[in-house]
Amino acid sequence: MSKGLIGASSVTIFVDFLSSKLEAALHQAVVDQVCIDIANEMRQNCPQLKESKINLEYHLLKDMAEKEDFSRFWDYISIPKYFFQNYIKTCVYNYCRDNKLIKPLSEKRLEELKSIVLTAISKATTTALTSLTNNKNPEESKLSKWLDVFCEELEKCLKLPRNTLTHMEDEEISDMDLLQESLTKALATSVENISKKFASAALVDLRNAKQQPEDSLFTLLSGCWEQCPFCAAICTNSIEGHSGDHSVPFHRPKAVYGGWWYKTDHFVIDICTSLVASDCSIVLSDTHRVPCKQYRKAGPKYERWRILPDDSELKYWKWFVCRFQKELEDKYQRKFEDRGKIPYQWKQIKKTEIFDEL
Ligand SMILES: [Zn+2]
Ligand SMILES: [Zn+2]
C-alpha cells in the first residue's frame, strides 16, 4: 500500500472518531444554550418573571384571587418555595407548549457553533502547517499540535476536552489540507443530523441540559424563604441566607396561618404588627409565655424577625379570610368566633379593592 493511501485512511479514521465526539458535544452545547435562551426570552416577555421575587409574589397573589382556588392559597401559605418553583415550571411549560420556539432557537445556536468550529478547524490547520516549517521538536506530531489548537479554540463553547483525544494524536497524518476538507464535510453532516433532532423538539428533549430554564429562572427570582412566625408572610429579602433581620412590608391576620387564642378554638384575626404592640403573650407551653412586645425572645423562629408595631395592612388578607372562612375553619379545625369574630367591615371589601393595593 502506498504511503498516500495509508495517509488517506488515517484521515478517515481520525475524522470519523473526532466528528462523532464533536457531534455529541455540539448537540449538548445547543441543548444547554437553548435552555438559557428560553429563560432569557421569558424574562423579557413574561411580566411576572421580569423583576424580582416580590414582583412575582404580587402577580401570584392577584392570580390566586382571580381564580379563588383555596388549594393554591394553601400551597402558597404552607410550602411557598415549592409553590413558586412549581409556578415557574408551569410558566415554562406553557411558554414552550406549541413547540415552535425550540427549533428557531436551536438553529440559530447551531449556526453560531458551526461557524466557531469551522474557524477552529482552519486555525488548527494553519498552526499545524506553520509549526511543521519551524519544528524544533520533531517528536511532536503535527496532529498533536492540530488537536491542541482545535480544542483550545472550542474550550469556551463546547465540552471537548483535549485529554479525551490523546490516543488519536499518533495517527500518521501529514496531509493537513485533506484533514481540513474531510472534517469540514463531516461537520456539515453532523450539523444536519443535529438539526433534524431539533426539527420537532419539545421541552422534554432538553431534559439533559446543564440547567433547565425553570431552574435558572427560579435562581434569579429566588431569595429568602423564611416565613413570619405569626402569619407566615414570606421575607422579601432577595438573598437566601442573608444577614440581618427578616422582614416583609405587609403582615396578615394570624388566622391565615391557623393562629388561635389559648385554651379556645377561636382564631386570632389580629395582624402581627398590632399583636407586637399589644399586651398579649406568645404561649410556648402552659408554663412558658413570652409577651408579644418581646417576641424576639420566643426562640429561634422569632429572634431574627423585624416586626414593627404599625397599622400597615392589606385588604387582601381580610378579603381572603372572609372568602375562605369555611375552608380555613375546616382546615385548622377552629372557628371565627368571640375574639376571633370577623369584623363586619372586612366583609364589605370588594375584590376590585384588593387588586388596587397590589
Ligand atoms: Zn407576620
Ligand atoms: Zn429573610
Side-chain angles (χ1 to χ4, degrees):
M1 200 182 272
S2 79
K3 181 102 184 168
L5 278 177
I6 295 171
S9 70
S10 295
V11 168
T12 312
I13 295 166
F14 177 74
V15 167
D16 281 354
F17 171 78
L18 184 60
S19 60
S20 77
K21 290 248 175 204
L22 191 59
E23 187 171 321
L26 275 169
H27 183 258
Q28 185 63 44
V30 175
V31 165
D32 292 344
Q33 195 54 54
V34 166
C35 284
I36 296 170
D37 291 343
I38 292 172
N40 287 341
E41 216 185 287
M42 289 183 73
R43 283 277 279 177
Q44 295 282 320
N45 298 342
C46 307
Q48 74 273 32
L49 305 176
K50 257 187 183 150
E51 288 163 39
S52 55
K53 176 165 132 263
I54 195 163
N55 177 60
L56 175 57
E57 187 169 5
Y58 281 139
H59 172 87
L60 284 169
L61 289 173
K62 270 186 207 165
D63 191 49
M64 288 189 291
E66 267 160 20
K67 298 198 171 88
E68 297 191 20
D69 174 356
F70 182 74
S71 69
R72 293 191 73 218
F73 278 102
W74 185 254
D75 288 349
Y76 164 73
I77 293 161
S78 47
I79 38 171
K81 188 175 177 179
Y82 170 79
F83 181 77
F84 275 65
Q85 257 171 335
N86 208 36
Y87 174 78
I88 294 173
K89 199 172 175 177
T90 311
C91 287
V92 173
Y93 173 78
N94 288 335
Y95 196 79
C96 301
R97 193 165 40 182
D98 65 4
N99 291 351
K100 284 182 187 148
L101 178 72
I102 296 171
K103 186 171 180 266
L105 287 177
S106 66
E107 269 168 9
K108 182 171 164 269
R109 291 301 177 183
L110 190 55
E111 242 351 272
E112 282 168 10
L113 286 165
K114 182 186 164 190
S115 124
I116 293 169
V117 175
L118 283 174
T119 309
I121 295 174
S122 156
K123 215 164 181 177
T125 309
T126 314
T127 313
L129 284 171
T130 323
S131 71
L132 175 71
T133 333
N134 353 301
N135 199 354
K136 294 185 183 95
N137 179 10
E139 292 303 306
E140 189 192 32
S141 82
K142 263 190 292 179
L143 194 57
S144 164
K145 185 75 206 162
W146 190 97
L147 281 166
D148 286 347
V149 179
F150 184 67
C151 291
E152 201 184 303
E153 283 294 306
L154 298 179
E155 208 169 47
K156 284 198 187 96
C157 45
L158 288 185
K159 200 167 180 288
L160 191 69
R162 174 70 177 88
N163 59 16
T164 60
L165 308 168
T166 43
H167 64 290
M168 294 302 291
E169 67 193 21
D170 295 328
E171 282 293 325
E172 195 187 327
I173 295 177
S174 52
D175 191 343
M176 289 292 135
D177 293 327
L178 179 65
L179 172 63
Q180 175 163 11
E181 194 190 313
S182 309
L183 196 56
T184 304
K185 264 189 211 157
L187 176 67
T189 312
S190 292
V191 167
E192 223 171 275
N193 293 342
I194 297 168
S195 184
K196 272 183 207 152
K197 281 187 191 161
F198 282 102
S200 57
L203 208 49
V204 64
D205 299 302
L206 306 176
R207 64 186 173 277
N208 293 329
K210 205 156 63 180
Q211 194 172 37
Q212 292 298 312
E214 60 265 34
D215 296 334
S216 41
L217 284 167
F218 182 73
T219 307
L220 288 165
L221 293 162
S222 193
C224 181
W225 295 99
E226 288 296 321
Q227 291 180 272
C228 170
F230 294 104
C231 73
I234 310 158
C235 172
T236 47
N237 197 297
S238 59
I239 300 160
E240 194 159 14
H242 63 89
S243 60
D245 287 335
H246 303 296
S247 67
V248 61
F250 296 104
H251 288 264
R252 313 160 181 177
K254 203 166 180 247
V256 170
Y257 201 27
W260 76 100
W261 291 110
Y262 184 55
K263 291 202 166 156
T264 75
D265 62 352
H266 302 149
F267 276 120
V268 176
I269 57 160
D270 304 53
I271 293 167
C272 325
T273 43
S274 60
L275 280 172
V276 296
S278 72
D279 291 324
C280 302
S281 295
I282 301 160
V283 181
L284 295 170
S285 71
D286 284 341
T287 53
H288 188 193
R289 294 177 181 211
V290 175
C292 283
K293 280 177 184 160
Q294 296 167 27
Y295 69 91
R296 284 191 195 245
K297 291 182 179 161
K301 263 194 340 186
Y302 293 82
E303 65 190 4
R304 279 193 56 205
W305 268 90
R306 188 175 76 241
I307 306 167
L308 301 173
D310 63 26
D311 50 7
S312 63
E313 54 192 41
L314 288 178
K315 284 181 182 167
Y316 187 96
W317 292 105
K318 294 177 178 176
W319 169 84
F320 168 78
V321 165
C322 298
R323 170 64 185 82
F324 294 106
Q325 177 178 346
K326 189 174 177 320
E327 286 82 352
L328 288 166
E329 286 179 337
D330 289 348
K331 203 80 186 180
Y332 291 116
Q333 291 293 299
R334 313 207 191 284
K335 296 181 193 120
F336 288 100
E337 281 176 12
D338 202 52
R339 283 177 86 180
K341 193 172 183 323
I342 300 174
Y344 172 77
Q345 297 88 321
W346 289 22
K347 295 183 177 168
Q348 305 309 306
I349 298 169
K350 304 250 176 340
K351 209 155 90 168
T352 46
E353 294 174 57
I354 67 173
F355 289 136
D356 294 341
E357 289 177 334
L358 295 172

